[in-house]
Amino acid sequence: MAEGSGRSTNLDQAHFTNMAYSSGLEVINHLNVANQMRYISQDSYETIRITMGEILNKLNSLYKYQINKKTNLKDQ
């Protein structure tokens, strides 16, 4: 996301936000595997899973904002 923040168009910024979202989904997948293999406690799993859900919701909202934003950074 840091790299995408300097991009001049909304679609470029949204692309990097989408990549961050996808990485978050990958974290959830690894978290599920760690839980199933009992590498982490159920309490840790639930805490991290809730936090990841909140982060993914925020990333999704940011992505929608970037896609629908009318002006680009270079236009400001």
Side-chain angles (χ1 to χ4, degrees):
M1 284 194 46
E3 184 177 344
S5 67
R7 299 298 174 129
S8 60
T9 68
N10 300 336
L11 291 179
D12 282 343
Q13 291 174 356
H15 170 74
F16 285 94
T17 301
N18 190 13
M19 288 175 44
Y21 183 88
S22 296
S23 294
L25 292 176
E26 188 174 351
V27 167
I28 289 174
N29 181 56
H30 291 296
L31 182 64
N32 288 335
V33 171
N35 185 49
Q36 291 168 356
M37 297 183 79
R38 302 191 194 284
Y39 288 135
I40 59 173
S41 68
Q42 187 64 29
D43 287 340
S44 292
Y45 169 80
E46 291 172 5
T47 300
I48 298 168
R49 181 62 184 89
I50 289 169
T51 302
M52 286 305 301
E54 292 168 354
I55 292 169
L56 290 176
N57 285 339
K58 291 175 184 179
L59 286 171
N60 190 41
S61 295
L62 176 59
Y63 178 79
K64 288 178 182 178
Y65 170 78
Q66 290 167 328
I67 292 296
N68 294 319
K69 189 174 168 189
K70 300 296 182 205
T71 60
N72 291 313
L73 180 62
K74 67 181 179 183
D75 297 334
Q76 296 177 358

